[in-house]
Amino acid sequence: MGTKERRAREKEQLQRQILSAARELFVNEGYENVSMRKIADKIEYSPTAIYLYFKDKADLLDSVCKETLLSLLNTLELLNRDKSNPIETLRKSGRAYVEFGLQYPQDYKLTFVIRPQFQQGLGLGEGSVGERVFNYLRAMVSECVRQQAFRQVDVETTGQALWSAVHGVTLLLIDFPDFPWTEKDKLIDTVIDTMIEGLKA
Amino acid sequence: MGTKERRAREKEQLQRQILSAARELFVNEGYENVSMRKIADKIEYSPTAIYLYFKDKADLLDSVCKETLLSLLNTLELLNRDKSNPIETLRKSGRAYVEFGLQYPQDYKLTFVIRPQFQQGLGLGEGSVGERVFNYLRAMVSECVRQQAFRQVDVETTGQALWSAVHGVTLLLIDFPDFPWTEKDKLIDTVIDTMIEGLKA
DNA sequence: TAACTTTACTTAACACTGTTAATTATACAG
DNA sequence: CTGTATAATTAACAGTGTTAAGTAAAGTTA
């Protein structure tokens, strides 16, 4: 038999091909400026073929963003997490988060700004990749409190506050490239270090 | 004579009419979902009439955002700025900033996220309203340092870092309304207070 | 008042968008 | 070889931003 498996494999391959064409276009030209026809051209299929693999354009965006989140999660988890210095781990993770955003600015905006607009609220629900990213952050804060490097703060709120700070600096640097920022690395460090300083025991 | 003045006044009035129709639609339905024809319908003119008053749709967006920034600036400057307690002033301003964003979420996103995408970098240049808003922030930080409420931090960098933090929390609360945030006010206060704590002498 | 000019606005059109329904081609099973 | 499911296509719809050409009204001058 085996032909069924081959066909399934081919379908999956085409799905991936669509996804990677969409990502490349979204990232380079912006979600709004990419038409289904452009994607279709790139993969040399008719525009409507895409609809056999994705519900609509927003679904395509959603899939692209899920991949981005997985990649971010992977980046964060690669950081060697030596428990002996949880503050340093937190600092490094914060930097890695911002740097990820700056390295793939359009991916970042797609995931954390554009998508929420098109898929109200989804993406951070239970079991989602987004939730796993946030869990990672929560665990780090928790460790800082446990080792009394931080004072007895509310882990949940603190995690969200830290996320706010790194999210903010990432987006400002992406969205206003012409603003006279002080040296970029200095700004990122200041944001992270000031937050950490404010949380110390 | 006077007819010339009257005509000029009428033109200006129509321009304002277009602007306010555009703002209302942009805010309620999102920039992308508003067509020139919809705006035209609302003011009962033909779609192309708008082009006699605004270069294109992005120009319309730009004008709407300039108004938003002026309104934000006005909100901030209304805060009674008693110099005796610069930290408290800073804290109140931070809260006012975030609350402004949450009160007019679509305006805020239009101004600080959508527009930069359509009008690369503009809006924070010299003499702009955006610059005036940031000057306000810089002055507050400067006062904190002068009175030695803050340690001897770099005013420029610190201002940018504070902006990052409030921008971040504002956007997260707007973009992920379904995320299980801890109580909203508590989160906002935590972000602002943690930053301030980290800057104290 | 009559003819001319400027201003304000509209109509028609172009090339493009996301998406659906109907249609064709392809590959499989019996 | 025939019938059937699957995959992909073509055609079409209603809508988009924007431009060019045309029209109606108002102001100016004789």
Side-chain angles (χ1 to χ4, degrees), chain A residues 31-62:
Chain A
Y31 177 72
E32 297 305 328
N33 304 315
V34 173
S35 67
M36 299 302 259
R37 286 165 177 85
K38 263 190 205 168
I39 301 172
D41 273 5
K42 204 175 175 73
I43 58 172
E44 298 182 291
Y45 278 76
S46 78
T48 50
I50 301 173
Y51 288 86
L52 301 173
Y53 296 84
F54 297 91
K55 187 179 157 292
D56 53 22
K57 200 184 168 191
D59 184 31
L60 210 39
L61 171 63
D62 210 47

Side-chain angles (χ1 to χ4, degrees), chain B residues 7 11 14 37 45-46 48-49 52-53:
Chain B
R7 301 252 279 173
K11 272 200 75 164
L14 180 48
R37 287 166 176 82
Y45 278 75
S46 78
T48 50
L52 302 173
Y53 297 85

Side-chain angles (χ1 to χ4, degrees), chain A residues 5-175:
Chain A
E5 283 81 350
R6 198 205 65 225
R7 300 251 281 172
R9 219 165 41 234
E10 282 174 357
K11 273 200 75 164
E12 204 181 321
Q13 204 179 331
L14 180 48
Q15 171 147 3
R16 262 205 296 277
Q17 212 180 330
I18 295 172
L19 215 56
S20 95
R23 143 155 280 127
E24 194 176 321
L25 287 170
F26 285 169
V27 162
N28 288 331
E29 321 201 357
Y31 177 72
E32 297 305 328
N33 304 315
V34 173
S35 67
M36 299 302 259
R37 286 165 177 85
K38 263 190 205 168
I39 301 172
D41 273 5
K42 204 175 175 73
I43 58 172
E44 298 182 291
Y45 278 76
S46 78
T48 50
I50 301 173
Y51 288 86
L52 301 173
Y53 296 84
F54 297 91
K55 187 179 157 292
D56 53 22
K57 200 184 168 191
D59 184 31
L60 210 39
L61 171 63
D62 210 47
S63 299
V64 167
C65 289
K66 194 181 258 170
E67 281 188 348
T68 303
L69 276 174
L70 271 171
S71 171
L72 171 59
L73 187 64
N74 192 49
T75 300
L76 289 177
E77 282 175 346
L78 274 182
L79 291 177
N80 52 346
R81 193 132 102 77
D82 76 19
K83 288 215 174 183
S84 68
N85 194 342
I87 285 193
E88 194 50 34
T89 302
L90 188 61
R91 197 192 315 271
K92 279 203 285 195
S93 298
R95 272 218 69 100
Y97 182 99
V98 179
E99 267 160 17
F100 178 89
L102 297 181
Q103 191 173 359
Y104 310 105
Q106 297 311 315
D107 299 61
Y108 187 85
K109 279 200 79 171
L110 235 41
T111 304
F112 290 102
V113 182
I114 315 286
R115 181 175 64 159
Q117 212 163 36
F118 283 81
Q119 294 250 15
Q120 269 295 353
L122 259 81
L124 284 174
E126 287 185 63
S128 69
V129 186
E131 201 194 24
R132 285 167 64 197
V133 174
F134 192 74
N135 283 343
Y136 176 86
L137 172 57
R138 191 171 9 227
M140 280 189 301
V141 174
S142 186
E143 188 62 25
C144 286
V145 173
R146 203 185 62 77
Q147 293 193 24
Q148 303 190 2
F150 282 176
R151 52 181 209 275
Q152 212 68 29
V153 293
D154 172 25
V155 172
E156 199 64 29
T157 308
T158 304
Q160 294 170 11
L162 283 167
W163 184 23
S164 296
V166 291
H167 181 61
V169 69
T170 305
L171 276 186
L172 285 183
L173 286 171
I174 291 174
D175 281 335

